[in-house]
Each structure stands twice: as structure tokens, then as C-alpha cells.
Amino acid sequence: MSDTALHLGSGKVRELYALDDERLLLVASDRISTFDVVLPTEIPDKGRVLTGLSGFWFAQTRDLVPNHLLALRSDGRSSECRRLEMLPIECVVRGYLAGSGWKDYRATGEVCGHRLPDGLVESQQLPEPLFTPATKAQTGHDENIDRAAAVELVGEQRFDEVERVSLELYRTVSEQAAARGIILADTKLEFGVDERGRLVLADEAFTPDSSRFWPADEYAPGGPQPSFDKQFVRDYCETLGWDKAYPGPELPADVVAGTRARYVEAFERLTGIAFDRYVDEPGVVLA
Ligand code: Q0Z
């Protein structure tokens, strides 16, 4: 880490530092959360997998939209980024009906003001991908909002721009993932604005922590899908009768090893790059 960086904040599994007035350092730890609780046991290399995947997708999508990434550090888990004015909405795109999208649809027939056909089942593919923005909750859960509420927060021009760019990003990345046997069910993007007012993709992008990845060969609509990365952890936690309140359980070695293998498999399938090569030379994902 940079010796003089000022700690700006902690996420559940990440840390943010200021390098100077224009640059931030985003550090992905090996912590894992499940059912909204950070567990006491780490998953070795999880932070590297997430940082490498984000860097890969930033590079793959740079012709669609500029992004905040300046450099990947040699530890593989730290990203130097441009410091931006962040937009106060989460830009979610859903291609499939899962999570809060499924909950809202079941209750109202709509998601974020988009009326959907009757009779859709859980995890079903939507007729077309939807832009479903949410507020950024400081604690607790983001709240889905409709177009009018999002326009109140960012303005109409910027709303139309982030909607168009988010849908383009989803289409590009979901096609690339599908070609490698992985469904990108949905994803949460964050954007900022640079000193010249240009939209910039920021934070992490198309990682297992910001997206739902499902193995295509196990896809079975009509219920929840196994998570590509965290299913071993969830299944183990379910065997314990844990009440999902803090503190969470320690994970046994086989659950740690299985989960690490799934993260590494996600990295290798999505990028086509051997994870060991990334650990050797993080810049390989940017080429
Ligand atoms: C990201 C977050 C984390 C805690 C602020 N390029 C940027 N410019 C300005 N602000 C941010 C970024 Cl990425 C920014 N977060 C989320 C990340 C720990 C919170 F690692 N907050």
C-alpha cells in the first residue's frame, strides 16, 4: 500500500484511500459476506479475483464508456482510480428476474415502474434487459426507484445517458459471458462525472460481488438459482441453523477451498486468462 494514503472509508469487503486530490486507491480484501454478514474466515485470493475481473471488464468496455481505472498495483488487489463526483444512484440492469426484482414483480407486477407480462417465474429471462435504478443506502438495503425518482436525483439528460450506457454494457458483457457458459443475470454499476462533466464508469464492474453470475448448464427457471461463487458458503451456513445475525460462523477448510476454486473458475472462464498469470502480472487483464 502507498505509505501516505489517507483512509476514506470501508465497505463490507473493501477499503478506500485517497492517494492525492485526483486519485483514489481501492483495495479489495479477501473478506466474504453472506446473508449480509461478513464472515470471520477469509477466502484466499478473492480480492485479487474481483480486482482482476473489474480491470478486465474496464479494458473490454473502454470503447463504450471511459472508466476510472488508472493502474492495477502489483499486489493484484489494489486499483488506482481517478477521483470522480459520484452519481447518487446505483445503476442496475436486469436480464433475469431475481432478488428484489423478483420480489417487486411478485408484489406489484412491476419493477422500477416497468410493467411486465403476467405469469413470469422466478429467475426467468426478461423479454428485454431492464434498467432498474436504486438509491444508495448508507446502511441497510438499496431501494428500487422509478424513472421519475432517479431523474430527481441526477437530472433527465444524465438519466437518459446512464440508462443507455448501462444497457449497452450489460448487452456486451452478458454476450461475452454467455459464450463462456455463464449467465449474467443482473449487475449493479456505479458512475461518476469527471471535471469536464463526462460520464465515467467507476467502482467495481461485473464482479461476482456486484453481479449475479449463474452457471448456464444448471439454469432452471421457476426458483432461485445457485450462485456461481457463494453457493458452498450459503449451503454450509444453511446446515448450521445460524440465525444470519452477527457474528457469522467460521468456515471449514473444505468450504474455503471449494469457494476459492469457484472464484478462480469464474475469473478464468470469463477472462480466458489463467489466474496464476494474473497473480504474476496483473496488467495482463488490461492488454
Ligand atoms: C467509491 C466504496 C470502497 C468504501 C466512493 N472513482 C471514485 N471517485 C470517487 N469516489 C469513489 C470512486 Cl470509486 C467511491 N465508493 C464505494 C469503495 C470502500 C466505499 F472500497 N465510494
Side-chain angles (χ1 to χ4, degrees), residues 8-250:
L8 291 182
S10 299
K12 279 212 280 275
V13 302
R14 300 180 300 159
E15 305 295 333
L16 189 63
Y17 301 85
L19 294 174
D20 54 44
D21 287 353
E22 279 122 47
R23 296 181 310 140
L24 300 178
L25 190 70
L26 221 147
V27 184
S29 73
D30 290 338
R31 299 193 293 274
I32 187 168
S33 71
T34 190
F35 306 112
D36 284 327
V37 172
V38 177
L39 301 182
T41 311
E42 297 193 328
I43 305 298
D45 293 319
K46 172 176 177 285
R48 286 196 181 95
V49 165
L50 269 57
T51 300
L53 273 173
S54 259
F56 176 78
W57 292 119
F58 283 138
Q60 294 289 309
T61 61
R62 56 182 301 164
D63 293 339
L64 280 178
V65 61
N67 61 69
H68 76 161
L69 185 63
L70 295 169
L72 294 174
R73 291 214 168 162
S74 59
D75 63 8
R77 67 175 66 253
S78 307
S79 309
E80 296 179 8
C81 312
R82 282 198 278 161
R83 196 170 194 161
L84 305 165
E85 200 66 57
M86 299 299 286
L87 295 183
I89 57 171
E90 308 276 11
C91 293
V92 178
V93 181
R94 301 174 188 275
Y96 292 74
L97 208 39
S100 67
W102 165 243
K103 282 201 184 73
D104 292 352
Y105 169 73
R106 236 186 358 182
T108 69
E110 297 185 3
V111 182
C112 297
H114 299 277
R115 167 66 54 182
L116 291 173
D118 290 337
L120 299 179
V121 299
E122 186 174 11
S123 307
Q124 189 167 348
Q125 187 171 23
L126 293 167
E128 58 185 350
L130 294 181
F131 182 64
T132 60
T135 58
K136 290 187 186 182
Q138 288 309 312
T139 57
H141 279 131
D142 299 342
E143 183 193 354
N144 288 336
I145 55 177
D146 64 10
R147 176 190 160 92
V151 164
E152 283 299 309
L153 291 168
V154 302
E156 188 160 38
Q157 277 202 2
R158 194 65 83 184
F159 178 89
D160 289 344
E161 186 183 20
V162 292
E163 176 178 55
R164 176 177 56 75
V165 170
S166 296
L167 288 168
E168 286 176 1
L169 287 166
Y170 176 83
R171 285 186 191 284
T172 297
V173 174
S174 60
E175 275 172 28
Q176 214 167 314
R180 294 174 169 278
I182 294 175
I183 294 171
L184 175 61
D186 54 40
T187 194
K188 180 167 78 180
L189 302 168
E190 296 204 38
F191 293 91
V193 175
D194 72 10
E195 60 290 344
R196 294 197 189 175
R198 288 174 301 209
L199 188 71
V200 179
L201 182 61
D203 207 82
E204 62 179 333
F206 303 104
T207 69
D209 278 7
S210 65
S211 310
R212 280 192 182 85
F213 290 116
W214 296 337
D217 61 357
E218 294 174 46
Y219 175 58
Q225 302 305 293
S227 151
F228 198 97
D229 46 301
K230 288 186 183 173
Q231 201 58 43
F232 289 149
V233 174
R234 292 191 187 143
D235 291 349
Y236 172 73
C237 288
E238 295 291 7
T239 68
L240 297 174
W242 169 46
D243 63 2
K244 293 164 191 173
Y246 177 86
E250 301 265 12

Side-chain angles (χ1 to χ4, degrees), residues 267-268 271-285 287:
F267 176 95
E268 294 187 333
T271 66
I273 298 167
F275 183 65
D276 288 348
R277 283 187 62 211
Y278 173 73
V279 171
D280 238 45
E281 181 52 68
V284 68
V285 296

